[in-house]
Amino acid sequence: MENRENLERIRLVTRYYDQLQGLRQVPFGVMFLLMAVWKAGLWPWFDKWQPLSGLFMIGLAMITFWWMGGYYERTYGKVRQSADSRRNGAILAIALLMGLYLVGFAEYEWHWPISGTGLFMAVALIAYYFQTGSFRLQYLVLAGLMAVVSLLPLFDLLPAEQVYLWGERGVVGVAIFGVIWLVSGLVDHWLLTRALQNNNS
C-alpha cells in the first residue's frame, strides 16, 4: 500500500513538476501587492517615476521568475515536457492574459457593478484545478475567495471600482490577485517539497 502511494506521488510530481514550481509565482504576487499599495496612494515614489518604475518592477519579477526556475533545476532536477504540453501551456497562458485584459477593459469602461476580471479569474482557477489533476485544493479555495470579493459591490460592501483589476481605484482587486499568486505558489512549493521528502524517506 505504501509503495503504491509512493508511486502515485512520484507520478504526480513528475507529471506536474513544472506547475508545482510555486516559488516562481512569488515575485508576481509581490508585484501585484506593491501595485495595490501604489493604487492606495501609499507609494508616491512609484507614481513619480512611471512608466520606468513599472517597467523596472515587471523586469525584476521576470528575472526572479527565471532565477527560481534555475533554483528548481539545480535543487530538484529537470523533467522534460512534451511539445504538446509546452504548446498547451503557452496557449492557456495567452488566453488567460487576453481574457483578463478584455474583461478588465470592459468592466472599467462600462462601469460594471461587479468585478468581471475577478469572476473570470475564479472560473480560470477552477478550470486549472480540474485540468491539473484535482489535487491542489488551494485553487478551489482561492477561486471561492475571488468570486466572493468580486460580488461584494452588489451588497454595497465595497465600491465596484475597488474590485476592478484595472483603474486607479482597484486596490482590493489587485491585492486579491497578489494574494492568489502568493498563496497558490507557496502551497504548490510545499506540495512539491513534501512529496519529494516523503519519497526520499
Side-chain angles (χ1 to χ4, degrees):
M1 187 68 174
E2 185 175 349
N3 288 337
R4 183 181 300 174
E5 292 178 355
N6 287 338
L7 288 174
E8 178 65 16
R9 190 180 301 116
I10 293 170
R11 185 187 69 81
L12 287 174
V13 169
T14 301
R15 184 174 180 181
Y16 302 112
Y17 179 63
D18 285 341
Q19 290 92 335
L20 289 171
Q21 296 179 23
L23 294 183
R24 304 184 79 180
Q25 297 177 205
V26 169
F28 295 101
V30 173
M31 182 184 74
F32 277 116
L33 291 176
L34 290 176
M35 287 176 60
V37 172
W38 163 54
K39 287 176 180 288
L42 302 176
W43 195 10
W45 173 87
F46 186 87
D47 197 44
K48 180 180 179 181
W49 291 97
Q50 279 281 46
L52 293 178
S53 52
L55 292 173
F56 174 78
M57 188 165 62
I58 293 172
L60 186 60
M62 293 295 295
I63 291 170
T64 308
F65 173 85
W66 173 81
W67 184 85
M68 284 296 181
Y71 158 78
Y72 278 105
E73 186 172 338
R74 292 189 303 269
T75 307
Y76 302 109
K78 187 175 183 179
V79 175
R80 180 175 296 178
Q81 278 189 312
S82 66
D84 287 343
S85 178
R86 288 195 300 270
R87 183 179 63 253
N88 291 339
I91 291 173
L92 289 174
I94 293 171
L96 177 64
L97 292 174
M98 289 183 61
L100 285 174
Y101 176 79
L102 294 174
V103 176
F105 179 83
E107 71 182 3
Y108 181 70
E109 288 295 317
W110 298 331
H111 307 290
W112 289 2
I114 58 172
S115 173
T117 46
L119 293 178
F120 179 85
M121 191 66 184
V123 172
L125 288 170
I126 294 172
Y128 184 66
Y129 166 77
F130 286 107
Q131 188 264 334
T132 57
S134 304
F135 70 100
R136 298 147 78 193
L137 291 175
Q138 78 268 23
Y139 286 95
L140 284 184
V141 175
L142 293 170
L145 172 64
M146 190 85 250
V148 168
V149 172
S150 301
L151 297 173
L152 287 180
L154 291 179
F155 305 97
D156 295 324
L157 297 175
L158 274 177
E161 295 83 2
Q162 286 278 322
V163 294
Y164 291 171
L165 180 60
W166 316 123
E168 297 177 358
R169 299 184 60 199
V171 177
V172 176
V174 174
I176 293 297
F177 266 73
V179 169
I180 285 175
W181 280 86
L182 273 176
V183 172
S184 60
L186 292 174
V187 174
D188 277 341
H189 178 75
W190 175 75
L191 289 171
L192 176 64
T193 55
R194 187 187 67 163
L196 293 176
Q197 287 170 356
N198 290 341
N199 183 58
N200 291 334
S201 62

